[in-house]
Amino acid sequence: MGCSLCLVSATVQAGPVLDAIKKRDAVRCGVSSGVAGFSAMGSDGQWRGLDVAVCRAVAAAVLGSAQKVEFTPLSSQQRFAALQAGQIDILSRNTTWTLSRDAGLNAHFAAITYYDGQGILMHKRFGVKSASELNGAEICVQSGTTNEKNLTTYLGTQGIKAKAIVYDNFEAAYKAFFSGRCQAFSTDVSALIGLKSKQSDKPDDYVVLPEIFSKEPLGPAVQRGDDEFFAIVKWVVFAMIEAEELGVGKANIEQALAGKNPAVQRLLGGAEDLGKPLGLPRNWVATVLKQVGNYGEVFEANLGQQSPLKLKRGLNALWTQGGLMYAPPLR
Protein backbone atom coordinates (compact mmCIF):
# COMPACT_ATOMS: atom_id res chain seq x y z
CA MET A 1 0.00 0.00 0.00
CA GLY A 2 1.35 3.45 -0.89
CA CYS A 3 0.42 6.78 0.67
CA SER A 4 -0.60 9.97 -1.08
CA LEU A 5 1.43 12.11 1.34
CA CYS A 6 4.35 10.86 3.39
CA LEU A 7 6.04 13.13 5.90
CA VAL A 8 9.65 12.29 6.67
CA SER A 9 11.35 13.79 9.71
CA ALA A 10 15.02 14.39 8.97
CA THR A 11 17.64 13.84 11.61
CA VAL A 12 18.84 17.17 12.98
CA GLN A 13 22.60 17.60 12.72
CA ALA A 14 24.49 20.52 14.17
CA GLY A 15 25.85 23.00 11.65
CA PRO A 16 29.29 24.59 12.00
CA VAL A 17 28.22 27.46 14.29
CA LEU A 18 26.05 25.29 16.54
CA ASP A 19 28.74 22.62 16.70
CA ALA A 20 31.36 25.21 17.71
CA ILE A 21 29.06 26.60 20.42
CA LYS A 22 28.63 23.15 21.94
CA LYS A 23 32.36 22.45 21.85
CA ARG A 24 33.16 25.86 23.32
CA ASP A 25 30.32 25.57 25.84
CA ALA A 26 29.48 29.23 25.33
CA VAL A 27 27.51 31.46 22.97
CA ARG A 28 29.45 34.46 21.66
CA CYS A 29 27.18 37.47 21.48
CA GLY A 30 27.91 40.80 19.82
CA VAL A 31 26.28 43.69 21.69
CA SER A 32 26.52 47.48 21.80
CA SER A 33 29.07 49.34 23.86
CA GLY A 34 26.22 50.66 25.97
CA VAL A 35 22.60 51.41 25.02
CA ALA A 36 20.27 51.61 28.01
CA GLY A 37 17.59 48.94 27.99
CA PHE A 38 19.16 46.93 25.18
CA SER A 39 22.75 46.08 26.10
CA ALA A 40 24.78 47.82 28.76
CA MET A 41 27.19 46.67 31.45
CA GLY A 42 26.13 47.51 35.00
CA SER A 43 28.35 48.65 37.84
CA ASP A 44 28.52 45.00 38.94
CA GLY A 45 30.14 44.02 35.64
CA GLN A 46 27.04 42.19 34.39
CA TRP A 47 25.53 42.79 30.96
CA ARG A 48 21.80 43.56 30.95
CA GLY A 49 19.15 44.56 28.42
CA LEU A 50 16.67 43.15 25.93
CA ASP A 51 19.39 42.20 23.43
CA VAL A 52 21.42 40.59 26.20
CA ALA A 53 18.38 38.56 27.30
CA VAL A 54 17.99 37.16 23.78
CA CYS A 55 21.55 35.80 23.87
CA ARG A 56 21.05 34.42 27.36
CA ALA A 57 17.85 32.71 26.23
CA VAL A 58 19.66 31.04 23.32
CA ALA A 59 22.38 29.85 25.68
CA ALA A 60 19.76 28.46 28.05
CA ALA A 61 18.10 26.56 25.21
CA VAL A 62 21.30 25.18 23.65
CA LEU A 63 23.62 24.78 26.66
CA GLY A 64 21.18 24.65 29.57
CA SER A 65 22.58 27.79 31.19
CA ALA A 66 21.81 31.44 30.51
CA GLN A 67 25.19 32.34 32.00
CA LYS A 68 27.18 30.61 29.26
CA VAL A 69 27.49 33.72 27.10
CA GLU A 70 30.59 35.65 26.08
CA PHE A 71 29.71 39.27 25.30
CA THR A 72 31.67 41.37 22.81
CA PRO A 73 30.88 45.11 22.65
CA LEU A 74 30.90 46.31 19.04
CA SER A 75 30.55 49.65 17.29
CA SER A 76 28.09 49.99 14.42
CA GLN A 77 31.01 49.83 11.98
CA GLN A 78 32.38 46.64 13.57
CA ARG A 79 29.20 44.64 14.07
CA PHE A 80 28.64 43.01 10.67
CA ALA A 81 32.34 42.50 10.04
CA ALA A 82 32.54 40.59 13.33
CA LEU A 83 29.57 38.43 12.32
CA GLN A 84 30.96 37.76 8.83
CA ALA A 85 34.35 36.82 10.26
CA GLY A 86 32.80 34.35 12.70
CA GLN A 87 34.05 36.28 15.74
CA ILE A 88 30.53 36.17 17.21
CA ASP A 89 27.67 33.67 16.91
CA ILE A 90 24.81 36.15 17.30
CA LEU A 91 24.65 39.86 16.60
CA SER A 92 22.14 41.16 19.13
CA ARG A 93 22.87 44.87 19.08
CA ASN A 94 19.78 47.05 18.51
CA THR A 95 20.28 46.45 14.79
CA THR A 96 17.67 47.29 12.16
CA TRP A 97 16.59 44.57 9.75
CA THR A 98 16.95 45.93 6.21
CA LEU A 99 17.11 44.38 2.75
CA SER A 100 20.74 45.36 2.13
CA ARG A 101 21.86 43.89 5.44
CA ASP A 102 19.83 40.73 5.13
CA ALA A 103 20.75 40.04 1.51
CA GLY A 104 24.14 41.69 1.17
CA LEU A 105 26.03 41.10 4.40
CA ASN A 106 25.86 37.30 4.69
CA ALA A 107 23.42 37.63 7.58
CA HIS A 108 20.09 36.07 8.51
CA PHE A 109 17.83 38.16 10.76
CA ALA A 110 16.04 35.67 12.97
CA ALA A 111 13.14 37.69 14.39
CA ILE A 112 12.01 41.16 15.43
CA THR A 113 12.43 41.79 19.14
CA TYR A 114 11.63 45.51 19.19
CA TYR A 115 9.69 47.77 16.83
CA ASP A 116 11.27 51.20 16.98
CA GLY A 117 11.40 54.40 14.93
CA GLN A 118 13.80 57.29 14.59
CA GLY A 119 13.22 60.65 16.24
CA ILE A 120 14.97 63.82 17.34
CA LEU A 121 15.96 64.96 20.83
CA MET A 122 16.32 68.64 21.77
CA HIS A 123 16.75 70.84 24.82
CA LYS A 124 13.51 72.60 25.75
CA ARG A 125 15.27 75.96 25.93
CA PHE A 126 15.08 76.20 22.12
CA GLY A 127 11.29 76.16 22.27
CA VAL A 128 11.03 73.81 19.29
CA LYS A 129 7.78 71.84 19.20
CA SER A 130 8.12 70.14 15.81
CA ALA A 131 10.84 69.00 13.42
CA SER A 132 9.45 71.48 10.89
CA GLU A 133 10.95 74.24 13.06
CA LEU A 134 14.53 72.93 12.74
CA ASN A 135 15.67 75.19 9.89
CA GLY A 136 19.27 76.25 10.56
CA ALA A 137 19.83 73.59 13.23
CA GLU A 138 22.80 71.24 13.41
CA ILE A 139 21.79 67.68 14.28
CA CYS A 140 24.29 65.17 15.66
CA VAL A 141 24.00 61.65 14.26
CA GLN A 142 26.18 58.56 14.08
CA SER A 143 27.81 57.83 10.73
CA GLY A 144 27.50 54.51 8.92
CA THR A 145 24.04 53.73 10.33
CA THR A 146 20.47 53.70 9.09
CA ASN A 147 20.01 56.73 11.36
CA GLU A 148 22.29 58.87 9.20
CA LYS A 149 20.51 57.88 5.98
CA ASN A 150 17.05 58.27 7.51
CA LEU A 151 17.81 61.73 8.85
CA THR A 152 19.27 63.00 5.59
CA THR A 153 16.32 61.60 3.64
CA TYR A 154 13.77 63.06 6.06
CA LEU A 155 15.29 66.53 6.05
CA GLY A 156 15.41 66.50 2.25
CA THR A 157 11.87 65.25 1.66
CA GLN A 158 10.42 67.68 4.23
CA GLY A 159 12.41 70.64 2.92
CA ILE A 160 13.95 71.29 6.32
CA LYS A 161 17.18 73.30 6.00
CA ALA A 162 19.03 71.61 8.84
CA LYS A 163 22.49 70.05 8.73
CA ALA A 164 23.46 66.54 9.84
CA ILE A 165 26.76 66.51 11.78
CA VAL A 166 28.15 62.97 11.71
CA TYR A 167 30.32 61.25 14.31
CA ASP A 168 32.12 57.94 14.02
CA ASN A 169 30.45 56.30 17.00
CA PHE A 170 27.29 56.55 19.07
CA GLU A 171 28.99 57.84 22.21
CA ALA A 172 30.80 60.62 20.38
CA ALA A 173 27.54 61.70 18.70
CA TYR A 174 25.42 61.97 21.83
CA LYS A 175 28.22 63.51 23.90
CA ALA A 176 28.60 66.19 21.23
CA PHE A 177 24.89 66.95 21.59
CA PHE A 178 24.88 67.09 25.38
CA SER A 179 27.97 69.32 25.37
CA GLY A 180 26.19 71.80 23.10
CA ARG A 181 28.03 71.23 19.83
CA CYS A 182 24.72 70.42 18.12
CA GLN A 183 21.23 71.72 18.80
CA ALA A 184 19.67 68.29 18.33
CA PHE A 185 20.47 64.58 18.28
CA SER A 186 18.81 61.87 16.20
CA THR A 187 18.61 58.13 16.69
CA ASP A 188 15.96 55.53 17.58
CA VAL A 189 13.34 56.88 19.99
CA SER A 190 14.01 54.18 22.59
CA ALA A 191 17.68 55.20 22.71
CA LEU A 192 16.75 58.89 22.89
CA ILE A 193 14.60 58.26 25.95
CA GLY A 194 17.40 56.25 27.54
CA LEU A 195 19.95 58.99 26.91
CA LYS A 196 17.55 61.64 28.16
CA SER A 197 17.26 59.90 31.52
CA LYS A 198 20.84 58.67 31.80
CA GLN A 199 23.02 61.48 30.49
CA SER A 200 21.32 64.49 32.03
CA ASP A 201 20.86 65.58 35.65
CA LYS A 202 17.61 67.21 34.53
CA PRO A 203 15.95 64.86 32.04
CA ASP A 204 12.80 66.97 31.98
CA ASP A 205 14.82 69.75 30.34
CA TYR A 206 14.90 67.65 27.14
CA VAL A 207 12.12 66.71 24.77
CA VAL A 208 11.72 64.09 22.03
CA LEU A 209 9.98 65.79 19.13
CA PRO A 210 6.68 64.17 18.04
CA GLU A 211 7.77 63.16 14.52
CA ILE A 212 8.87 59.54 14.05
CA PHE A 213 10.24 59.23 10.53
CA SER A 214 11.45 55.68 10.03
CA LYS A 215 10.65 52.02 10.60
CA GLU A 216 13.30 50.36 12.75
CA PRO A 217 12.52 46.66 13.28
CA LEU A 218 15.33 45.54 15.58
CA GLY A 219 16.39 41.96 16.12
CA PRO A 220 19.19 39.39 16.32
CA ALA A 221 21.12 38.26 13.25
CA VAL A 222 23.25 35.17 12.63
CA GLN A 223 25.71 34.27 9.91
CA ARG A 224 24.39 32.38 6.88
CA GLY A 225 25.43 28.77 6.53
CA ASP A 226 24.00 27.18 9.68
CA ASP A 227 20.29 26.64 9.21
CA GLU A 228 19.98 24.70 12.46
CA PHE A 229 21.33 27.55 14.57
CA PHE A 230 19.26 30.08 12.64
CA ALA A 231 16.13 28.05 13.42
CA ILE A 232 17.03 27.85 17.11
CA VAL A 233 17.53 31.61 17.53
CA LYS A 234 14.29 32.29 15.66
CA TRP A 235 12.19 29.88 17.69
CA VAL A 236 13.71 30.91 21.02
CA VAL A 237 12.40 34.43 20.41
CA PHE A 238 9.02 33.09 19.26
CA ALA A 239 8.79 30.85 22.33
CA MET A 240 9.31 33.84 24.63
CA ILE A 241 6.52 35.73 22.85
CA GLU A 242 4.19 32.71 22.88
CA ALA A 243 4.86 32.16 26.57
CA GLU A 244 3.74 35.70 27.39
CA GLU A 245 0.58 35.19 25.36
CA LEU A 246 -0.15 32.00 27.31
CA GLY A 247 0.56 33.73 30.63
CA VAL A 248 3.53 31.61 31.63
CA GLY A 249 6.95 32.95 32.54
CA LYS A 250 9.68 33.12 35.11
CA ALA A 251 7.27 34.23 37.81
CA ASN A 252 5.00 31.17 37.58
CA ILE A 253 6.92 28.50 35.68
CA GLU A 254 6.73 25.91 38.47
CA GLN A 255 2.93 26.22 38.73
CA ALA A 256 2.65 26.04 34.94
CA LEU A 257 4.72 22.87 34.80
CA ALA A 258 2.38 21.24 37.29
CA GLY A 259 -0.77 22.53 35.57
CA LYS A 260 -3.09 20.93 33.03
CA ASN A 261 -3.48 23.64 30.38
CA PRO A 262 -2.85 21.69 27.15
CA ALA A 263 -1.39 24.67 25.24
CA VAL A 264 1.01 25.44 28.09
CA GLN A 265 1.95 21.78 28.45
CA ARG A 266 2.71 21.55 24.74
CA LEU A 267 4.93 24.64 24.94
CA LEU A 268 6.82 23.38 27.99
CA GLY A 269 7.39 19.90 26.60
CA GLY A 270 4.87 17.98 28.66
CA ALA A 271 2.45 17.08 25.88
CA GLU A 272 4.72 17.34 22.85
CA ASP A 273 8.45 17.29 22.16
CA LEU A 274 9.13 20.68 20.54
CA GLY A 275 12.85 20.21 21.06
CA LYS A 276 13.31 17.29 18.68
CA PRO A 277 12.94 19.23 15.39
CA LEU A 278 15.51 21.74 16.66
CA GLY A 279 17.91 19.22 18.16
CA LEU A 280 17.21 20.63 21.64
CA PRO A 281 16.11 18.98 24.90
CA ARG A 282 12.38 18.42 25.30
CA ASN A 283 12.21 20.98 28.13
CA TRP A 284 14.16 23.76 26.37
CA VAL A 285 11.34 26.31 26.59
CA ALA A 286 10.91 25.68 30.31
CA THR A 287 14.65 26.20 30.78
CA VAL A 288 14.52 29.53 28.91
CA LEU A 289 11.56 30.73 30.96
CA LYS A 290 13.08 29.65 34.27
CA GLN A 291 16.37 31.39 33.65
CA VAL A 292 15.41 34.39 31.48
CA GLY A 293 11.63 34.84 31.37
CA ASN A 294 9.03 35.46 28.70
CA TYR A 295 9.10 38.43 26.34
CA GLY A 296 6.87 40.61 28.51
CA GLU A 297 8.95 39.98 31.62
CA VAL A 298 12.17 40.82 29.77
CA PHE A 299 10.62 43.96 28.26
CA GLU A 300 9.30 45.28 31.56
CA ALA A 301 12.55 44.62 33.42
CA ASN A 302 14.76 46.36 30.85
CA LEU A 303 12.60 48.89 29.02
CA GLY A 304 9.20 49.03 30.69
CA GLN A 305 7.72 50.06 33.99
CA GLN A 306 10.24 48.14 36.11
CA SER A 307 13.12 49.93 34.40
CA PRO A 308 14.40 53.53 34.57
CA LEU A 309 13.16 54.09 30.99
CA LYS A 310 9.52 53.28 31.74
CA LEU A 311 8.67 52.84 28.06
CA LYS A 312 5.13 51.87 27.12
CA ARG A 313 4.73 48.67 25.13
CA GLY A 314 3.15 50.42 22.13
CA LEU A 315 3.86 48.44 18.97
CA ASN A 316 5.76 45.93 21.11
CA ALA A 317 2.62 44.78 22.88
CA LEU A 318 1.18 41.39 21.98
CA TRP A 319 -1.09 41.22 18.95
CA THR A 320 -3.95 40.40 21.33
CA GLN A 321 -3.36 43.78 23.01
CA GLY A 322 -3.09 45.97 19.92
CA GLY A 323 0.62 45.48 19.25
CA LEU A 324 2.69 43.67 16.63
CA MET A 325 4.28 40.92 18.73
CA TYR A 326 3.06 37.66 17.21
CA ALA A 327 4.63 34.22 17.23
CA PRO A 328 3.91 31.55 14.61
CA PRO A 329 2.31 28.45 16.15
CA LEU A 330 4.68 26.38 18.26
CA ARG A 331 3.42 22.92 17.40
Side-chain angles (χ1 to χ4, degrees):
M1 293 283 294
C3 63
S4 59
L5 178 63
C6 295
L7 299 178
V8 179
S9 179
T11 302
V12 177
Q13 295 181 345
V17 176
L18 185 57
D19 189 52
I21 288 171
K22 291 179 177 179
K23 289 180 180 178
R24 189 190 313 119
D25 201 32
V27 174
R28 300 176 304 177
C29 181
V31 292
S32 73
S33 55
V35 176
F38 289 92
S39 52
M41 183 182 288
S43 57
D44 58 358
Q46 294 296 310
W47 284 94
R48 294 184 178 85
L50 177 65
D51 291 339
V52 169
V54 169
C55 292
R56 292 200 184 281
V58 172
V62 175
L63 302 174
S65 173
Q67 299 306 310
K68 292 184 176 182
V69 185
E70 298 172 357
F71 294 102
T72 300
L74 299 166
S75 69
S76 60
Q77 291 87 352
Q78 295 170 326
R79 53 185 167 177
F80 284 103
L83 184 64
Q84 290 171 329
Q87 296 169 355
I88 56 174
D89 305 315
I90 306 175
L91 176 63
S92 190
R93 188 203 174 281
N94 58 299
T95 297
T96 303
W97 187 347
T98 69
L99 183 151
S100 59
R101 290 171 172 177
D102 190 55
L105 294 178
N106 196 35
H108 270 315
F109 280 83
I112 296 171
T113 54
Y114 191 89
Y115 291 91
D116 211 342
Q118 190 170 336
I120 295 173
L121 179 69
M122 292 197 75
H123 198 287
K124 287 182 178 178
R125 70 174 179 270
F126 294 110
V128 173
K129 303 295 184 184
S130 168
S132 63
E133 303 170 29
L134 288 173
N135 284 316
E138 293 185 329
I139 306 172
C140 289
V141 67
Q142 184 182 358
S143 66
T145 63
T146 56
N147 293 150
E148 180 186 3
K149 294 178 181 178
N150 292 338
L151 178 63
T152 302
T153 300
Y154 178 71
L155 295 176
T157 56
Q158 298 300 311
I160 299 170
K161 305 300 182 182
K163 183 179 181 181
I165 307 298
V166 299
Y167 289 85
D168 287 340
N169 61 67
F170 183 73
E171 184 176 6
Y174 74 70
K175 284 188 174 179
F177 164 69
F178 283 108
S179 67
R181 279 177 273 170
C182 303
Q183 290 80 47
F185 176 63
S186 184
T187 189
D188 296 350
V189 170
S190 60
L192 292 179
I193 293 172
L195 289 170
K196 177 174 170 294
S197 62
K198 181 180 178 183
Q199 297 298 321
S200 172
D201 294 332
K202 297 180 179 180
D204 290 339
D205 287 349
Y206 295 87
V207 61
V208 178
L209 300 182
E211 291 84 359
I212 297 176
F213 49 87
S214 74
K215 295 182 291 185
E216 306 294 334
L218 311 179
V222 299
Q223 189 179 40
R224 291 175 182 263
D226 191 330
D227 290 345
E228 291 74 29
F229 186 58
F230 172 52
I232 287 171
V233 176
K234 176 168 49 180
W235 286 102
V236 164
V237 174
F238 290 152
M240 295 170 74
I241 296 170
E242 180 80 354
E244 182 188 6
E245 184 178 337
L246 292 174
V248 55
K250 193 172 186 178
N252 65 347
I253 183 66
E254 296 302 333
Q255 298 96 304
L257 285 167
K260 299 187 182 300
N261 183 314
V264 172
Q265 288 303 311
R266 180 174 63 244
L267 180 68
L268 300 182
E272 190 174 334
D273 188 353
L274 296 180
K276 187 175 181 180
L278 296 169
L280 296 177
R282 186 181 185 116
N283 66 340
W284 68 274
V285 177
T287 302
V288 169
L289 297 180
K290 282 181 181 179
Q291 298 187 25
V292 180
N294 66 34
Y295 178 81
E297 290 173 318
V298 169
F299 184 100
E300 292 303 326
N302 293 288
L303 296 163
Q305 299 309 302
Q306 297 172 22
S307 77
L309 302 184
K310 309 226 177 275
L311 295 180
K312 295 180 180 179
R313 289 289 291 269
L315 295 178
N316 298 291
L318 294 175
W319 67 285
T320 54
Q321 299 170 3
L324 298 177
M325 282 298 165
Y326 185 112
L330 275 82
R331 63 171 68 99

